[in-house]
């Protein structure tokens, strides 16, 4: 009769262990200076490793990554708030629960979280001539959807950076799930103290996110310094126009509804600063009409689906607030106080 594993004596279950030895005992003989716990040595042999130290080192290297991945999974399940010292997400935690991400998955292409979706991202990338030899950094990557699309399509390496700490963690979880954590890591960054590798990237790009960055002069300087010779810059962003009135009710309502406080520039200021940073601006185009069309189309499709299938209770709680935020943007764009610009430039 075969015994179940919990009925066997330890010597039966582990032929390499005598009856007087505990599973927590450590080996006395060092392997390359490493004392391998007995249970790890047994596991290494079970996994087919000739050298237990090799297996033990591999497990230590993966331990930190496993702990971080566990945090991401916990965040996605909306647990109670972690201690700030552990996750440093005191302000952000809980702002992006699964239901809200589900709403954005239906609203825009899944993972993109931006108007235009996959097709627009690929259209914007055309002047960059991306390939597998190039490295990019995306500013304002959200959960990294655009970065993963470009990596899949062109083989390019993208460091995706997001200032919302919770979105950055959720984005890295998705890169891990897609097996692209090395090619498309999603990292949290501080816009007031950005740390970019100098002279490392071929391309820096940002799609509709820099208007929330304060002190953009310094930020753009850091972006320029991160580029290699003949590097490329691609930005789409919200800019204020001469019609903007910061004291108007529409302007104040727009500011109040944004997730992150806006700090918009004018298009002329962008051109001036980029010129001073030795960028040769090839494209400076007002794409407001296209952007408004993309936003309205996305919401019309979503609301039509809801009318046919009924309101999904999973994201009903977020529908009203997010719809109002986007409609406030549209109103500002349509009344001419805001515009949506595309800038493409090369660096000498």
């Amino acid at each position: 009769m075969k015994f179940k594993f919990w009925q066997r004596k330890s010597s039966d279950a582990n032929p390499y262990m005598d009856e007087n030895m505990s599973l927590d005992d450590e080996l006395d003989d060092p392997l390359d200076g490493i004392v391998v716990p007995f249970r790890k040595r047994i596991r290494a042999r079970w996994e087919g490793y000739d050298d237990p130290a090799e297996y033990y080192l591999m497990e230590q290297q993966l331990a930190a990554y496993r702990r971080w991945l566990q945090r991401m999974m916990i965040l996605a399940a909306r647990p109670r708030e972690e201690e700030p010292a552990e996750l440093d997400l005191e302000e952000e935690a809980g702002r992006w629960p699964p239901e809200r991400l589900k709403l954005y998955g239906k609203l825009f292409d899944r993972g993109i979280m931006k108007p235009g979706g996959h097709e627009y991202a690929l259209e914007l990338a055309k002047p960059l001539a991306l390939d597998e030899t190039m490295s990019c950094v995306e500013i304002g990557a959200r959960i990294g959807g655009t970065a993963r699309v470009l990596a899949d399509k062109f083989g390019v390496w993208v460091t995706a950076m997001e200032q919302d700490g919770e979105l950055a963690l959720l984005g890295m979880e998705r890169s891990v799930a897609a097996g692209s954590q090395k090619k498309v890591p999603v990292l949290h960054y501080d816009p007031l103290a950005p740390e970019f590798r100098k002279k490392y990237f071929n391309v820096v790009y940002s799609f509709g996110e820099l208007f929330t960055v304060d002190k953009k002069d310094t930020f753009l300087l850091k972006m320029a310094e991160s580029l290699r010779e003949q590097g490329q810059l691609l930005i789409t962003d919200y800019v204020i126009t001469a019609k903007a009135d910061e004291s108007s009710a529409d302007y104040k309502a727009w500011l109040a509804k944004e997730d992150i406080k806006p700090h918009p520039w004018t298009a002329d200021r962008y051109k001036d600063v980029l010129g001073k940073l030795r960028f040769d601006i090839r494209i400076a185009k007002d794409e407001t009409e296209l952007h408004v069309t993309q936003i309205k189309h996305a919401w019309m499709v979503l609301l039509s689906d809801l009318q046919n299938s009924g309101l999904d209770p999973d994201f009903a709680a977020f529908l009203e607030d997010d719809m109002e935020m986007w409609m406030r943007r549209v109103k500002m764009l349509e009344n001419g106080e805001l515009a949506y610009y595309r800038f493409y430039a090369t660096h000498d």
Side-chain angles (χ1 to χ4, degrees):
M1 178 182 296
K2 292 185 178 179
F3 291 105
K4 295 180 180 178
F5 74 89
W6 62 82
Q7 294 174 322
R8 296 173 186 166
K9 292 188 293 185
S10 58
S11 57
D12 294 328
N14 296 287
Y16 302 106
M17 182 177 71
D18 63 47
E19 295 180 351
N20 296 320
M21 185 178 290
S22 166
L23 284 173
D24 293 321
D25 287 345
E26 293 187 344
L27 297 177
D28 294 329
D29 58 315
L31 298 170
D32 293 333
I34 299 173
V35 178
V36 182
F38 188 83
R39 63 169 66 242
K40 298 296 182 184
R41 184 167 186 172
I42 297 299
R43 185 66 181 177
R45 292 187 179 183
W46 179 264
E47 296 291 344
Y49 285 80
D50 294 328
D51 184 357
E54 180 184 354
Y55 176 80
Y56 188 51
L57 281 174
M58 179 192 70
E59 281 212 330
Q60 286 183 319
Q61 291 170 348
L62 291 175
Y65 164 73
R66 289 194 184 109
R67 288 194 296 270
W68 196 49
L69 179 58
Q70 184 180 31
R71 286 189 207 160
M72 291 188 284
M73 295 175 69
I74 291 173
L75 272 175
R78 291 198 305 163
R80 67 174 181 268
E81 193 173 48
E82 297 286 348
E83 292 296 327
E86 182 178 353
L87 287 180
D88 198 26
L89 290 174
E90 183 177 12
E91 295 182 0
E92 294 91 347
R95 293 177 62 246
W96 289 97
E99 295 85 353
R100 193 180 183 196
L101 290 175
K102 184 178 180 180
L103 168 62
Y104 273 80
K106 289 180 176 289
L107 183 60
F108 305 123
D109 283 348
R110 187 169 301 278
I112 292 289
M113 299 182 70
K114 299 176 185 181
H118 293 189
E119 290 185 6
Y120 186 52
L122 294 172
E123 181 68 26
L124 288 172
K126 282 184 178 180
L128 302 175
L130 299 174
D131 62 43
E132 65 277 2
T133 67
M134 301 171 70
S135 293
C136 304
V137 59
E138 178 180 1
I139 308 301
R142 312 297 269 174
I143 59 173
T146 301
R148 286 187 291 273
V149 166
L150 297 182
D152 289 344
K153 178 70 174 180
F154 304 108
V156 67
W157 298 73
V158 185
T159 300
M161 307 194 75
E162 170 56 43
Q163 66 171 305
D164 186 306
E166 188 177 2
L167 284 179
L169 287 173
L170 294 170
M172 189 63 188
E173 180 188 46
R174 281 154 177 75
S175 283
V176 170
S180 56
Q181 63 269 28
K182 291 184 178 180
K183 202 151 196 171
V184 188
V186 184
L187 310 175
H188 176 249
Y189 80 100
D190 181 356
L192 296 179
E195 297 181 1
F196 304 135
R197 297 180 66 174
K198 290 189 176 183
K199 297 186 180 301
Y200 182 80
F201 299 105
N202 303 101
V203 175
V204 176
Y205 72 90
S206 178
F207 295 157
E209 297 292 330
L210 292 186
F211 77 106
T212 65
V213 174
D214 197 6
K215 300 181 180 178
K216 270 189 279 291
D217 301 80
T218 302
F219 193 86
L220 288 173
L221 172 61
K222 295 290 186 180
M223 289 173 62
E225 291 176 343
S226 74
L227 285 171
R228 298 177 183 176
E229 188 176 351
Q230 300 301 312
Q232 301 176 85
L233 176 75
L234 175 62
I235 296 173
T236 63
D237 204 19
Y238 298 95
V239 298
I240 53 173
T241 71
K243 294 183 180 181
D245 180 1
E246 295 185 16
S247 64
S248 72
D250 286 343
Y251 198 99
K252 291 178 179 178
W254 167 59
L255 290 181
K257 279 298 176 181
E258 290 291 333
D259 277 345
I260 302 174
K261 182 181 178 181
H263 300 278
W265 275 5
T266 64
D268 286 340
R269 188 172 180 187
Y270 260 119
K271 295 174 188 176
D272 180 59
V273 172
L274 291 176
K276 290 178 179 177
L277 292 173
R278 305 196 320 277
F279 280 101
D280 178 12
I281 301 175
R282 307 291 182 87
I283 298 174
K285 183 181 179 183
D286 186 339
E287 297 195 342
T288 303
E289 184 176 352
L290 172 62
H291 189 62
V292 169
T293 298
Q294 290 170 339
I295 296 172
K296 286 185 173 182
H297 176 73
W299 279 103
M300 286 175 61
V301 171
L302 175 64
L303 295 176
S304 177
D305 288 345
L306 292 179
Q307 189 175 18
N308 294 330
S309 61
L311 185 62
D312 189 333
D314 286 344
F315 60 76
F318 304 95
L319 181 63
E320 185 176 350
D321 285 344
D322 279 291
M323 183 166 63
E324 185 174 357
M325 182 193 75
W326 283 101
M327 291 306 103
R328 291 290 183 185
R329 284 191 192 181
V330 167
K331 188 172 183 178
M332 289 286 289
L333 291 164
E334 289 187 326
N335 70 19
E337 292 188 73
L338 272 185
Y340 194 76
Y341 259 75
R342 172 162 58 114
F343 301 95
Y344 169 67
T346 57
H347 199 250
D348 61 23

